[in-house]
Amino acid sequence: MATISDVAARAGVSIATVSRVLSGQPCTTPATRDKVLRSVAELNYHLNRSASNLRRNQTGVILILTPNMTNPYYASILTGIGDTATALGSAAFICNTRDDPNRSTAALERLRQHQADGAILLSIDADATWLADYASDFPLVQCSEFQPDSTITHVAIDNKAASHDVMAHLLELGHTRIAHLSADNTYPSTRDRLAGYQEALAQANIDPCPEYVVRGSADYSFASGKDATHTLLALPKPPTAIFCISDTLAMGAVVAAREAGFNIPADISITGFDDVAVNEMIQPQLTTLAQPCYELGVTSARALFALINHETTPLAHVLDHHLVVRQSSAKAPAGASEHSGGAR
Amino acid sequence: MATISDVAARAGVSIATVSRVLSGQPCTTPATRDKVLRSVAELNYHLNRSASNLRRNQTGVILILTPNMTNPYYASILTGIGDTATALGSAAFICNTRDDPNRSTAALERLRQHQADGAILLSIDADATWLADYASDFPLVQCSEFQPDSTITHVAIDNKAASHDVMAHLLELGHTRIAHLSADNTYPSTRDRLAGYQEALAQANIDPCPEYVVRGSADYSFASGKDATHTLLALPKPPTAIFCISDTLAMGAVVAAREAGFNIPADISITGFDDVAVNEMIQPQLTTLAQPCYELGVTSARALFALINHETTPLAHVLDHHLVVRQSSAKAPAGASEHSGGAR
DNA sequence: TTGTACGCGTTATCAA
DNA sequence: TTGATAACGCGTACAA
C-alpha cells in the first residue's frame, strides 16, 4: 500500500507534483512527469479514495435504490443508469432495498455521510415529506414513481395518457366489458393507470362495473395475475378484455384464461404494460404498452449528474410511450356487448 | 454539515469524548453521554464516512459484481447476499459489469483504493491469473463460477454431479437419443455440465452423437434456445430428450418443440437447469435441476465476511442441488430408440 | 514549474 | 472518566 509520499520520495519530487501529475494538470515538465509515472508503476501505487474523497468532498459514486432485483422492468432501467454513469466516469452502486423503508433510509443516509454524490430512487418506499426534505439537501432523482405534487426531479412516462391509449385500442376493437387488472400497492403509476381506465370508460359512456377492477399482488406476480383473472372469468358476465397494468400480470391472465377455456384473442383480449423481454416467451404474443425502460435509466442518470454539477435540469422529464399491438388483442366477440350491439 | 468538533463545542466536551460516545465505548458518564447525544441531535450531526474510513482503514461496504441484471438466477443470489450483508451491518453494493472486463477490473480496483472491504464475483470475466493475484491481496469470493484449480474461495453446486442426476433421470425413462443444449460461453459450469452429460452417456454405453450437442447464446437467451432446438428437431433422427443447461434455454426449447409439432412430454422430454421462478409461467411445468440460489448468496456473503474478519473458511463451499421432476419429462416414445428396443 | 505546509473529519494513544 | 494531540492520505493555496 504505497502512498503518494512514497511515490514522491522515489521520484525525487514533492507530493504536490505527484498529485498534479496524477490529476492530469498540464503544468508539469515531461521529464518529471515520466519520473513520477515510473515510480507510480514501480511501487504499484493506487489512490486512496477515502483520503481523496475527504479532501475533495465528493465521491464519484451514485446510489441506485431498487425495491427488488427480480422484475425485468427494473433490469433495463438499471442497465441504462449504469451505462450512463460509466460513460460519465462515475460508479453506479445498486442497493436492493427489498421495499423495506429501513433499508431505503439507511441507504440514503449514506449521502449525509459523504459516501455518495447523489441517488436515484426506483420506488417510493420512504415517507414522502422526509424524502422532500432530503432532496432539498442532496441530488436526488425519482425514476418511474413520484408523487403528483412532487418537488423532486423525476423521470417517467405519462401513465394516465398511456392508460388512455390502451383503452382507445380496446374500445376501437368494440370492447365494452373491459376489466382492469391492477396491483395491490399504492404506487402513483398504479393510481394513474386506474384513473386513465376510469376516465376512458366515462368518455365512452360505459357504466363502470366495480367487479371488473381487480388487483394482483403488490409486486405484480404471475401467480396473483392468474388468481385475479380466474375471479374475473367466474363472474356471471365475464369481461371480453382485460387491461393488465404489468406484463407479468398479463402473462398470468393469459394462462388463467386458457385454463378457463377461453381462446385468446377470439374470446377475450388481454393487454400488458411495460413490454419487457420475457414477453417473447409467451403465446400469443402480448399486446402491451411499451415503456422506454433503458432511456428512463439514461435520462435519470443524466438528470442526476446535472443536479450534482449544479446544472439546470427540468423538474419533470416525461418520456414517450407507445402501444405495441401484437396477437393477444382482437375484436370483441359478436354479441358480447350490451352497448355496441354486436361489434364485428 | 456539522462536524464532530461542532458537537464537542456545543456539548462542552472534547472531540475524543464525542467519538467515544458515538462508537459506544462504555467509559463515559451517563451525564456526558446525554449532553453529547443531545447536541448530536440538535446539530443534526452525521458521521463523515470518508474521514472515518480513512482513519480506520475499512469501509463497511462489500461489492458484488454481476454480469447482468436480467437473469433471474442472479436475482436470487443477489438477494441472499444483500440480506446477509444487511444483517451483518454492512452495505452490499451491486455493480453491473455487463460482462465487460474493463468494467469488472475497474470495480475490483476499488478494493485497492480502499473503497470496499471485499468483493463477490458472480462470473469470470477477468483474466484468471490477474484475479488470483488479486485474491491474495484482498478478500474475494467467487459464486457459481470458478476455475477447477482455483485458489480463490468459492461457493457453488457440483455441476458435474448435477448433470449426472439429470442424465440418470432421462436414462431411467428409457431415453437414449439425448441432446445437450449448452451455451456459447466458456463458463466452468457450462464445461462441467457438458462433461457430466458425456460421462453419463459413456457409462450407459450410448455412442455420443456430435449433432446432439448444440449451443444457445452466451447469456442463455430464450430466442437462442428456440433456434438451437429447431436445428435439433430438423435432424434426420431427432432426439427424444433435450437436456438444457438453463431454464430460459429450456423455455425456448419448449416453444420450438411445440412449433415443430412435438408434444411434450409424449414425443419429447425437455429438462431445464436452475429452477428459477419464471418457470411457473410455462406449460408444461418444467422438470429442472434446482440450485439453492438464495443460499448460494448467503453462503458467499458469510464466506466473504469470514475472510474480511480473518476467520477461517473453507476454500470450496459445495451446496446441495436436487432434481425437481415435473411435467416436461416422461418415458421415451416407444420404438424411438435403437438401443432399448422400445421403452414403454 | 516545483515545493512547503496546512486542513479535510475521524480515531486512537497517551497523559492527566 | 476525560482531554490534548498525533496520525490517516490527499489536494491545494501560497511561496519560491
Side-chain angles (χ1 to χ4, degrees), chain B residues 92 213 252:
Chain B
V213 176

Side-chain angles (χ1 to χ4, degrees), chain B residues 133-153:
Chain B
D133 288 358
Y134 217 91
S136 64
D137 291 352
F138 299 100
L140 216 65
V141 170
Q142 294 194 287
C143 185
S144 299
E145 302 293 345
F146 61 95
Q147 300 297 343
D149 55 349
S150 177
T151 57
I152 303 174
T153 305

Side-chain angles (χ1 to χ4, degrees), chain B residues 14 60 66-67 77 109 114-115 117 133 151 153 160 171 205 222 242 256 274 277 282-283 285 304 314-315 317-318 334:
Chain B
S14 73
T66 175
I77 297 179
E109 280 300 305
H114 303 265
Q115 203 162 31
D117 297 334
D133 288 358
T151 57
T153 305
K160 208 201 261 187
L171 290 166
N205 286 316
F222 173 85
I242 306 179
D274 292 344
I282 206 160
Q283 293 290 339
Q285 300 268 305
L304 183 63
L315 178 68
H317 298 252
V318 182

